[in-house]
Amino acid sequence: MTQPVPTLQSTVNTWHCDEVGHMNVQFYFTAGADATRIYAAGLGVEGPVTTRIVHVRFHHELRAGDIFSLSTQTVGTGETGLILAHELYNRGTDTLAATIVSRTDLAPELVSEPHGTLSEMARPRSVGEHSALPLLSLGDEMAADLIPIYQGIVHSAQCDADGLRQQFIMARFSDGAAHLWHHIGFDRDAMLEARRGTVVLEMRLDRLADISSGTVLVAKSAIVEVTGKVLRFAHFLFDGVSGDLLATGEASAVLLDLDARKTVDFSEAERAGLAPFLMEM
């Protein structure tokens, strides 16, 4: 059976962190992509590795100054190639910070040993293993009802041989999240004054097409479900000119007490305020 091998080792810098005070989700996708490339190099693969689907579960926060490392192993074969599981540990506390599962285009024959087993901590919990989101176009009636969260352009520095890198696909959703929360009634300044923030528990990113430099991007989102403390979102990234769907994301998020660093419930008033924004997907 394949065993986990050390891949990425690094540190959380201040510019990796957001207003909640922990490493922003986009940099977990960066870590997973880098670990995938390092693992592939160990298999003798030269050049880029394409990953179409990435699933991340966030277990403990990483904050500025934290040191971390990833270990990687194969855990199966998907439709496009090898499935890699990465475990990201805070090395200062020796705690599991995140699990990242990458569905790659690496050829299955690169690994001759039996695959490892995906741990329970890495298995999908509040976000499905496979997307059930509709394949919308920007001009569709349903797309018109989505909440606009981002519009911008792809810069060459954000691209590799496959086009826009995972980090910067995820960044469109992450950077747009503040617009989404504001739209549904969670004003940033009021939340910070109340010492509350938002935190993602789990996320899956589906890359549906390569995205080249110069592409105009439009991101839109919907609230799919409110269950207990958890709010589930669906994100759609479109080509702003052709209207084609380029990527989707699904996430579950909660409110966070910024002092206790613990999740808190939505109030009854907040739940009532969320109801008009729910969309069935």
Side-chain angles (χ1 to χ4, degrees):
M1 180 181 296
T2 60
Q3 297 298 316
V5 298
T7 46
L8 186 67
Q9 182 177 356
S10 193
T11 302
V12 180
N13 291 290
T14 54
W15 58 86
H16 294 143
C17 299
D18 52 31
E19 75 279 2
V20 180
H22 57 207
M23 189 162 83
N24 186 268
V25 294
Q26 64 178 288
F27 296 105
Y28 289 86
F29 283 80
T30 303
D34 288 352
T36 293
R37 183 67 196 91
I38 293 167
Y39 188 81
L43 297 176
V45 176
E46 298 181 1
V49 178
T50 300
T51 301
R52 293 294 176 188
I53 302 174
V54 182
H55 171 264
V56 182
R57 280 182 60 185
F58 305 93
H59 301 286
H60 289 92
E61 294 180 287
L62 286 175
R63 305 177 78 172
D66 284 342
I67 56 175
F68 66 88
S69 66
L70 279 78
S71 60
T72 303
Q73 73 175 139
T74 60
V75 292
T77 302
E79 294 180 1
T80 59
L82 291 175
I83 302 172
L84 305 184
H86 315 279
E87 291 189 340
L88 191 161
Y89 271 84
N90 180 332
R91 283 305 166 200
T93 60
D94 203 31
T95 55
L96 181 66
T99 51
I100 305 166
V101 178
S102 304
R103 293 178 174 268
T104 76
D105 67 347
L106 291 169
E109 55 267 24
L110 288 169
V111 176
S112 57
E113 302 172 75
H115 299 303
T117 302
L118 187 64
S119 72
E120 284 299 322
M121 297 294 283
R123 294 183 184 278
R125 186 175 181 182
S126 58
V127 171
E129 183 177 1
H130 300 285
S131 176
L133 296 178
L135 298 178
L136 302 176
S137 294
L138 186 56
D140 290 347
E141 184 177 349
M142 181 179 284
D145 293 333
L146 298 172
I147 300 167
I149 65 167
Y150 171 86
Q151 182 166 304
I153 196 164
V154 177
H155 297 278
S156 58
Q158 300 171 337
C159 299
D160 58 18
D162 284 335
L164 188 63
R165 301 201 304 272
Q166 281 180 22
Q167 172 192 340
F168 295 106
I169 298 174
M170 185 62 239
R172 268 57 185 191
F173 299 144
S174 177
D175 291 350
H179 290 274
L180 176 58
W181 284 102
H182 180 79
H183 186 93
I184 62 178
F186 290 82
D187 177 74
R188 173 183 174 274
D189 290 340
M191 288 185 68
L192 290 177
E193 185 176 344
R195 302 300 296 151
R196 294 205 301 176
T198 59
V199 59
V200 176
L201 298 177
E202 188 172 357
M203 177 86 196
R204 195 192 63 252
L205 178 66
D206 289 69
R207 177 176 176 163
L208 305 178
D210 294 337
I211 307 170
S212 60
S213 177
T215 302
V216 176
L217 298 177
V218 174
K220 291 190 168 189
S221 301
I223 302 174
V224 177
E225 185 180 31
V226 183
T227 306
K229 295 181 179 181
V230 179
L231 191 63
R232 286 207 306 117
F233 296 112
H235 300 299
F236 299 84
L237 186 66
F238 300 99
D239 184 314
V241 176
S242 70
D244 292 342
L245 184 62
L246 304 175
T248 61
E250 295 178 61
S252 58
V254 293
L255 297 180
L256 181 72
D257 183 314
L258 295 179
D259 296 319
R261 310 306 290 187
K262 293 183 178 180
T263 60
V264 295
D265 289 313
F266 292 100
S267 68
E268 289 303 317
E270 288 169 339
R271 289 180 182 277
L274 290 170
F277 299 105
L278 286 170
M279 286 185 68
E280 186 174 346
M281 288 283 165

mmCIF file of all heavy atoms in Angstrom, residues 126-128 131-134 142 146-147 180 184 204 220-227 230-236 249-253 274-281:
data_model
loop_
_atom_site.group_PDB
_atom_site.id
_atom_site.type_symbol
_atom_site.label_atom_id
_atom_site.label_comp_id
_atom_site.label_asym_id
_atom_site.label_seq_id
_atom_site.Cartn_x
_atom_site.Cartn_y
_atom_site.Cartn_z
ATOM 1 N N SER A 126 -20.398 17.914 4.729
ATOM 2 C CA SER A 126 -21.520 18.819 4.459
ATOM 3 C C SER A 126 -21.580 19.256 3.003
ATOM 4 O O SER A 126 -22.520 19.931 2.594
ATOM 5 C CB SER A 126 -21.424 20.056 5.363
ATOM 6 O OG SER A 126 -20.192 20.727 5.172
ATOM 7 N N VAL A 127 -20.584 18.862 2.225
ATOM 8 C CA VAL A 127 -20.523 19.154 0.790
ATOM 9 C C VAL A 127 -20.342 17.828 0.064
ATOM 10 O O VAL A 127 -19.517 17.007 0.468
ATOM 11 C CB VAL A 127 -19.350 20.106 0.470
ATOM 12 C CG1 VAL A 127 -19.143 20.225 -1.032
ATOM 13 C CG2 VAL A 127 -19.592 21.476 1.076
ATOM 14 N N GLY A 128 -21.100 17.601 -0.993
ATOM 15 C CA GLY A 128 -21.071 16.321 -1.684
ATOM 16 C C GLY A 128 -19.745 16.017 -2.355
ATOM 17 O O GLY A 128 -18.974 16.920 -2.690
ATOM 18 N N SER A 131 -20.443 17.209 -7.700
ATOM 19 C CA SER A 131 -21.345 18.348 -7.826
ATOM 20 C C SER A 131 -22.688 17.926 -8.416
ATOM 21 O O SER A 131 -22.749 17.133 -9.358
ATOM 22 C CB SER A 131 -20.719 19.424 -8.717
ATOM 23 O OG SER A 131 -21.625 20.495 -8.908
ATOM 24 N N ALA A 132 -23.750 18.478 -7.842
ATOM 25 C CA ALA A 132 -25.090 18.295 -8.396
ATOM 26 C C ALA A 132 -25.649 19.635 -8.872
ATOM 27 O O ALA A 132 -26.852 19.760 -9.118
ATOM 28 C CB ALA A 132 -26.011 17.680 -7.345
ATOM 29 N N LEU A 133 -24.771 20.634 -8.998
ATOM 30 C CA LEU A 133 -25.217 21.958 -9.408
ATOM 31 C C LEU A 133 -25.585 21.974 -10.890
ATOM 32 O O LEU A 133 -24.971 21.272 -11.696
ATOM 33 C CB LEU A 133 -24.122 22.994 -9.142
ATOM 34 C CG LEU A 133 -23.741 23.231 -7.685
ATOM 35 C CD1 LEU A 133 -22.618 24.255 -7.590
ATOM 36 C CD2 LEU A 133 -24.950 23.693 -6.880
ATOM 37 N N PRO A 134 -26.561 22.783 -11.274
ATOM 38 C CA PRO A 134 -26.923 22.885 -12.694
ATOM 39 C C PRO A 134 -25.807 23.558 -13.490
ATOM 40 O O PRO A 134 -25.113 24.448 -12.981
ATOM 41 C CB PRO A 134 -28.182 23.756 -12.669
ATOM 42 C CG PRO A 134 -28.075 24.550 -11.404
ATOM 43 C CD PRO A 134 -27.396 23.652 -10.414
ATOM 44 N N MET A 142 -32.186 31.318 -14.373
ATOM 45 C CA MET A 142 -31.757 31.022 -13.011
ATOM 46 C C MET A 142 -30.509 31.813 -12.643
ATOM 47 O O MET A 142 -30.370 32.292 -11.510
ATOM 48 C CB MET A 142 -31.502 29.521 -12.832
ATOM 49 C CG MET A 142 -31.061 29.143 -11.415
ATOM 50 S SD MET A 142 -30.789 27.371 -11.176
ATOM 51 C CE MET A 142 -32.495 26.809 -11.070
ATOM 52 N N LEU A 146 -29.219 34.773 -9.349
ATOM 53 C CA LEU A 146 -28.096 34.585 -8.430
ATOM 54 C C LEU A 146 -27.579 35.933 -7.927
ATOM 55 O O LEU A 146 -27.802 36.972 -8.549
ATOM 56 C CB LEU A 146 -26.965 33.830 -9.130
ATOM 57 C CG LEU A 146 -27.273 32.409 -9.612
ATOM 58 C CD1 LEU A 146 -26.121 31.878 -10.459
ATOM 59 C CD2 LEU A 146 -27.537 31.484 -8.430
ATOM 60 N N ILE A 147 -26.866 35.898 -6.813
ATOM 61 C CA ILE A 147 -26.317 37.111 -6.203
ATOM 62 C C ILE A 147 -24.956 37.411 -6.827
ATOM 63 O O ILE A 147 -24.045 36.580 -6.758
ATOM 64 C CB ILE A 147 -26.162 36.925 -4.681
ATOM 65 C CG1 ILE A 147 -27.520 36.630 -4.037
ATOM 66 C CG2 ILE A 147 -25.521 38.160 -4.048
ATOM 67 C CD1 ILE A 147 -27.417 36.132 -2.605
ATOM 68 N N LEU A 180 -21.278 38.766 -0.859
ATOM 69 C CA LEU A 180 -22.381 37.835 -0.610
ATOM 70 C C LEU A 180 -22.953 38.031 0.789
ATOM 71 O O LEU A 180 -24.175 38.168 0.967
ATOM 72 C CB LEU A 180 -21.889 36.397 -0.802
ATOM 73 C CG LEU A 180 -22.876 35.274 -0.490
ATOM 74 C CD1 LEU A 180 -24.134 35.401 -1.337
ATOM 75 C CD2 LEU A 180 -22.217 33.914 -0.722
ATOM 76 N N ILE A 184 -26.816 39.529 1.950
ATOM 77 C CA ILE A 184 -27.823 38.791 2.721
ATOM 78 C C ILE A 184 -27.983 39.338 4.142
ATOM 79 O O ILE A 184 -28.610 38.712 4.992
ATOM 80 C CB ILE A 184 -27.502 37.283 2.762
ATOM 81 C CG1 ILE A 184 -26.165 37.006 3.457
ATOM 82 C CG2 ILE A 184 -27.518 36.706 1.351
ATOM 83 C CD1 ILE A 184 -25.825 35.520 3.565
ATOM 84 N N ARG A 204 -15.685 22.525 -1.971
ATOM 85 C CA ARG A 204 -15.278 21.765 -3.153
ATOM 86 C C ARG A 204 -15.267 22.705 -4.349
ATOM 87 O O ARG A 204 -16.199 23.483 -4.556
ATOM 88 C CB ARG A 204 -16.210 20.591 -3.446
ATOM 89 C CG ARG A 204 -15.573 19.599 -4.440
ATOM 90 C CD ARG A 204 -16.504 18.554 -5.016
ATOM 91 N NE ARG A 204 -17.547 19.171 -5.789
ATOM 92 C CZ ARG A 204 -18.812 19.229 -5.382
ATOM 93 N NH1 ARG A 204 -19.171 18.693 -4.235
ATOM 94 N NH2 ARG A 204 -19.712 19.828 -6.127
ATOM 95 N N LYS A 220 -21.179 34.550 -9.449
ATOM 96 C CA LYS A 220 -22.477 34.716 -8.801
ATOM 97 C C LYS A 220 -22.698 33.553 -7.839
ATOM 98 O O LYS A 220 -22.143 32.466 -8.035
ATOM 99 C CB LYS A 220 -23.602 34.764 -9.836
ATOM 100 C CG LYS A 220 -23.595 36.017 -10.712
ATOM 101 C CD LYS A 220 -24.870 36.097 -11.543
ATOM 102 C CE LYS A 220 -25.033 37.453 -12.180
ATOM 103 N NZ LYS A 220 -26.367 37.612 -12.808
ATOM 104 N N SER A 221 -23.527 33.792 -6.825
ATOM 105 C CA SER A 221 -23.703 32.789 -5.775
ATOM 106 C C SER A 221 -25.157 32.683 -5.344
ATOM 107 O O SER A 221 -25.988 33.545 -5.657
ATOM 108 C CB SER A 221 -22.837 33.135 -4.558
ATOM 109 O OG SER A 221 -21.477 33.208 -4.910
ATOM 110 N N ALA A 222 -25.428 31.621 -4.596
ATOM 111 C CA ALA A 222 -26.755 31.400 -4.025
ATOM 112 C C ALA A 222 -26.606 30.752 -2.661
ATOM 113 O O ALA A 222 -25.637 30.032 -2.408
ATOM 114 C CB ALA A 222 -27.592 30.508 -4.936
ATOM 115 N N ILE A 223 -27.562 31.017 -1.783
ATOM 116 C CA ILE A 223 -27.673 30.268 -0.533
ATOM 117 C C ILE A 223 -28.547 29.062 -0.825
ATOM 118 O O ILE A 223 -29.663 29.193 -1.331
ATOM 119 C CB ILE A 223 -28.303 31.110 0.582
ATOM 120 C CG1 ILE A 223 -27.485 32.368 0.828
ATOM 121 C CG2 ILE A 223 -28.400 30.305 1.869
ATOM 122 C CD1 ILE A 223 -28.132 33.312 1.810
ATOM 123 N N VAL A 224 -28.035 27.891 -0.505
ATOM 124 C CA VAL A 224 -28.730 26.654 -0.836
ATOM 125 C C VAL A 224 -29.499 26.102 0.361
ATOM 126 O O VAL A 224 -30.595 25.550 0.212
ATOM 127 C CB VAL A 224 -27.723 25.602 -1.352
ATOM 128 C CG1 VAL A 224 -28.412 24.280 -1.634
ATOM 129 C CG2 VAL A 224 -27.016 26.117 -2.600
ATOM 130 N N GLU A 225 -28.930 26.260 1.567
ATOM 131 C CA GLU A 225 -29.546 25.620 2.728
ATOM 132 C C GLU A 225 -29.022 26.255 4.013
ATOM 133 O O GLU A 225 -27.869 26.685 4.078
ATOM 134 C CB GLU A 225 -29.213 24.123 2.722
ATOM 135 C CG GLU A 225 -29.873 23.301 3.808
ATOM 136 C CD GLU A 225 -29.483 21.833 3.731
ATOM 137 O OE1 GLU A 225 -28.353 21.536 3.304
ATOM 138 O OE2 GLU A 225 -30.320 20.989 4.091
ATOM 139 N N VAL A 226 -29.885 26.325 5.017
ATOM 140 C CA VAL A 226 -29.480 26.709 6.371
ATOM 141 C C VAL A 226 -29.910 25.582 7.294
ATOM 142 O O VAL A 226 -31.102 25.300 7.438
ATOM 143 C CB VAL A 226 -30.127 28.031 6.822
ATOM 144 C CG1 VAL A 226 -29.613 28.426 8.205
ATOM 145 C CG2 VAL A 226 -29.856 29.138 5.822
ATOM 146 N N THR A 227 -28.926 24.903 7.896
ATOM 147 C CA THR A 227 -29.204 23.771 8.775
ATOM 148 C C THR A 227 -28.397 23.932 10.054
ATOM 149 O O THR A 227 -27.166 23.909 10.016
ATOM 150 C CB THR A 227 -28.830 22.436 8.105
ATOM 151 O OG1 THR A 227 -29.491 22.340 6.844
ATOM 152 C CG2 THR A 227 -29.241 21.255 8.975
ATOM 153 N N VAL A 230 -25.033 25.809 10.251
ATOM 154 C CA VAL A 230 -24.317 25.765 8.971
ATOM 155 C C VAL A 230 -25.136 26.390 7.843
ATOM 156 O O VAL A 230 -26.327 26.106 7.677
ATOM 157 C CB VAL A 230 -23.952 24.313 8.609
ATOM 158 C CG1 VAL A 230 -23.221 24.259 7.273
ATOM 159 C CG2 VAL A 230 -23.089 23.700 9.713
ATOM 160 N N LEU A 231 -24.457 27.230 7.065
ATOM 161 C CA LEU A 231 -25.027 27.849 5.873
ATOM 162 C C LEU A 231 -24.303 27.279 4.664
ATOM 163 O O LEU A 231 -23.072 27.277 4.621
ATOM 164 C CB LEU A 231 -24.816 29.365 5.950
ATOM 165 C CG LEU A 231 -25.530 30.274 4.960
ATOM 166 C CD1 LEU A 231 -27.039 30.186 5.134
ATOM 167 C CD2 LEU A 231 -25.074 31.711 5.161
ATOM 168 N N ARG A 232 -25.054 26.751 3.688
ATOM 169 C CA ARG A 232 -24.426 26.186 2.488
ATOM 170 C C ARG A 232 -24.617 27.119 1.306
ATOM 171 O O ARG A 232 -25.712 27.612 1.052
ATOM 172 C CB ARG A 232 -24.999 24.803 2.164
ATOM 173 C CG ARG A 232 -24.515 23.718 3.091
ATOM 174 C CD ARG A 232 -24.532 22.339 2.432
ATOM 175 N NE ARG A 232 -25.811 21.985 1.863
ATOM 176 C CZ ARG A 232 -26.015 21.765 0.563
ATOM 177 N NH1 ARG A 232 -25.034 21.887 -0.310
ATOM 178 N NH2 ARG A 232 -27.220 21.425 0.129
ATOM 179 N N PHE A 233 -23.500 27.352 0.586
ATOM 180 C CA PHE A 233 -23.483 28.220 -0.581
ATOM 181 C C PHE A 233 -23.207 27.420 -1.849
ATOM 182 O O PHE A 233 -22.563 26.369 -1.813
ATOM 183 C CB PHE A 233 -22.361 29.263 -0.470
ATOM 184 C CG PHE A 233 -22.503 30.231 0.663
ATOM 185 C CD1 PHE A 233 -21.619 30.204 1.727
ATOM 186 C CD2 PHE A 233 -23.498 31.190 0.656
ATOM 187 C CE1 PHE A 233 -21.722 31.106 2.766
ATOM 188 C CE2 PHE A 233 -23.617 32.096 1.689
ATOM 189 C CZ PHE A 233 -22.728 32.058 2.749
ATOM 190 N N ALA A 234 -23.644 27.971 -2.980
ATOM 191 C CA ALA A 234 -23.228 27.496 -4.297
ATOM 192 C C ALA A 234 -22.657 28.686 -5.056
ATOM 193 O O ALA A 234 -23.239 29.775 -5.041
ATOM 194 C CB ALA A 234 -24.405 26.906 -5.062
ATOM 195 N N HIS A 235 -21.498 28.487 -5.679
ATOM 196 C CA HIS A 235 -20.831 29.546 -6.433
ATOM 197 C C HIS A 235 -20.718 29.140 -7.902
ATOM 198 O O HIS A 235 -20.472 27.967 -8.218
ATOM 199 C CB HIS A 235 -19.417 29.788 -5.900
ATOM 200 C CG HIS A 235 -19.346 30.208 -4.467
ATOM 201 N ND1 HIS A 235 -19.923 31.362 -3.994
ATOM 202 C CD2 HIS A 235 -18.739 29.625 -3.396
ATOM 203 C CE1 HIS A 235 -19.679 31.478 -2.701
ATOM 204 N NE2 HIS A 235 -18.971 30.439 -2.316
ATOM 205 N N PHE A 236 -20.840 30.124 -8.791
ATOM 206 C CA PHE A 236 -20.718 29.899 -10.228
ATOM 207 C C PHE A 236 -19.783 30.962 -10.804
ATOM 208 O O PHE A 236 -19.954 32.155 -10.534
ATOM 209 C CB PHE A 236 -22.082 30.010 -10.915
ATOM 210 C CG PHE A 236 -23.101 29.011 -10.441
ATOM 211 C CD1 PHE A 236 -23.849 29.260 -9.294
ATOM 212 C CD2 PHE A 236 -23.307 27.823 -11.129
ATOM 213 C CE1 PHE A 236 -24.793 28.348 -8.844
ATOM 214 C CE2 PHE A 236 -24.252 26.900 -10.683
ATOM 215 C CZ PHE A 236 -24.995 27.164 -9.542
ATOM 216 N N GLY A 249 -18.322 26.154 -7.280
ATOM 217 C CA GLY A 249 -17.848 25.870 -5.932
ATOM 218 C C GLY A 249 -19.024 25.635 -5.013
ATOM 219 O O GLY A 249 -20.091 26.225 -5.204
ATOM 220 N N GLU A 250 -18.840 24.764 -4.052
ATOM 221 C CA GLU A 250 -19.853 24.536 -3.022
ATOM 222 C C GLU A 250 -19.158 24.617 -1.673
ATOM 223 O O GLU A 250 -18.069 24.069 -1.495
ATOM 224 C CB GLU A 250 -20.522 23.179 -3.210
ATOM 225 C CG GLU A 250 -21.319 23.088 -4.507
ATOM 226 C CD GLU A 250 -21.945 21.722 -4.716
ATOM 227 O OE1 GLU A 250 -22.761 21.311 -3.869
ATOM 228 O OE2 GLU A 250 -21.602 21.071 -5.718
ATOM 229 N N ALA A 251 -19.789 25.324 -0.743
ATOM 230 C CA ALA A 251 -19.147 25.560 0.547
ATOM 231 C C ALA A 251 -20.167 25.524 1.665
ATOM 232 O O ALA A 251 -21.344 25.851 1.470
ATOM 233 C CB ALA A 251 -18.438 26.913 0.545
ATOM 234 N N SER A 252 -19.704 25.128 2.840
ATOM 235 C CA SER A 252 -20.495 25.258 4.057
ATOM 236 C C SER A 252 -19.738 26.192 4.991
ATOM 237 O O SER A 252 -18.514 26.102 5.120
ATOM 238 C CB SER A 252 -20.725 23.897 4.715
ATOM 239 O OG SER A 252 -19.499 23.265 5.032
ATOM 240 N N ALA A 253 -20.471 27.109 5.616
ATOM 241 C CA ALA A 253 -19.839 28.128 6.446
ATOM 242 C C ALA A 253 -20.644 28.336 7.719
ATOM 243 O O ALA A 253 -21.830 27.996 7.793
ATOM 244 C CB ALA A 253 -19.725 29.442 5.676
ATOM 245 N N LEU A 274 -32.516 35.368 6.231
ATOM 246 C CA LEU A 274 -31.897 34.535 5.199
ATOM 247 C C LEU A 274 -32.929 33.865 4.290
ATOM 248 O O LEU A 274 -32.635 33.558 3.132
ATOM 249 C CB LEU A 274 -31.032 33.454 5.854
ATOM 250 C CG LEU A 274 -29.746 33.917 6.535
ATOM 251 C CD1 LEU A 274 -29.134 32.774 7.337
ATOM 252 C CD2 LEU A 274 -28.750 34.434 5.513
ATOM 253 N N ALA A 275 -34.120 33.638 4.812
ATOM 254 C CA ALA A 275 -35.138 32.860 4.098
ATOM 255 C C ALA A 275 -35.412 33.353 2.674
ATOM 256 O O ALA A 275 -35.511 32.539 1.745
ATOM 257 C CB ALA A 275 -36.424 32.817 4.916
ATOM 258 N N PRO A 276 -35.525 34.679 2.437
ATOM 259 C CA PRO A 276 -35.838 35.128 1.068
ATOM 260 C C PRO A 276 -34.740 34.836 0.049
ATOM 261 O O PRO A 276 -34.992 34.894 -1.160
ATOM 262 C CB PRO A 276 -36.025 36.645 1.238
ATOM 263 C CG PRO A 276 -36.297 36.855 2.682
ATOM 264 C CD PRO A 276 -35.520 35.801 3.388
ATOM 265 N N PHE A 277 -33.531 34.549 0.528
ATOM 266 C CA PHE A 277 -32.407 34.352 -0.386
ATOM 267 C C PHE A 277 -32.161 32.881 -0.733
ATOM 268 O O PHE A 277 -31.297 32.574 -1.556
ATOM 269 C CB PHE A 277 -31.131 34.944 0.221
ATOM 270 C CG PHE A 277 -31.215 36.425 0.465
ATOM 271 C CD1 PHE A 277 -31.387 36.920 1.748
ATOM 272 C CD2 PHE A 277 -31.149 37.324 -0.589
ATOM 273 C CE1 PHE A 277 -31.471 38.277 1.988
ATOM 274 C CE2 PHE A 277 -31.235 38.688 -0.366
ATOM 275 C CZ PHE A 277 -31.397 39.167 0.922
ATOM 276 N N LEU A 278 -32.892 31.979 -0.103
ATOM 277 C CA LEU A 278 -32.686 30.555 -0.366
ATOM 278 C C LEU A 278 -33.120 30.201 -1.784
ATOM 279 O O LEU A 278 -34.181 30.613 -2.249
ATOM 280 C CB LEU A 278 -33.466 29.712 0.641
ATOM 281 C CG LEU A 278 -32.900 29.661 2.061
ATOM 282 C CD1 LEU A 278 -33.898 29.009 3.006
ATOM 283 C CD2 LEU A 278 -31.583 28.890 2.079
ATOM 284 N N MET A 279 -32.273 29.431 -2.478
ATOM 285 C CA MET A 279 -32.589 28.952 -3.823
ATOM 286 C C MET A 279 -32.437 27.443 -3.868
ATOM 287 O O MET A 279 -31.476 26.893 -3.322
ATOM 288 C CB MET A 279 -31.651 29.578 -4.866
ATOM 289 C CG MET A 279 -31.931 31.026 -5.183
ATOM 290 S SD MET A 279 -30.857 31.624 -6.527
ATOM 291 C CE MET A 279 -31.482 30.672 -7.922
ATOM 292 N N GLU A 280 -33.372 26.783 -4.505
ATOM 293 C CA GLU A 280 -33.277 25.331 -4.667
ATOM 294 C C GLU A 280 -32.400 25.022 -5.863
ATOM 295 O O GLU A 280 -32.607 25.540 -6.962
ATOM 296 C CB GLU A 280 -34.667 24.733 -4.871
ATOM 297 C CG GLU A 280 -34.672 23.223 -4.916
ATOM 298 C CD GLU A 280 -36.069 22.649 -4.983
ATOM 299 O OE1 GLU A 280 -37.027 23.399 -4.723
ATOM 300 O OE2 GLU A 280 -36.193 21.451 -5.301
ATOM 301 N N MET A 281 -31.377 24.183 -5.637
ATOM 302 C CA MET A 281 -30.430 23.833 -6.697
ATOM 303 C C MET A 281 -30.549 22.346 -7.030
ATOM 304 O O MET A 281 -30.597 21.521 -6.142
ATOM 305 C CB MET A 281 -29.002 24.144 -6.248
ATOM 306 C CG MET A 281 -28.695 25.624 -6.191
ATOM 307 S SD MET A 281 -28.427 26.299 -7.836
ATOM 308 C CE MET A 281 -28.545 28.053 -7.517
#
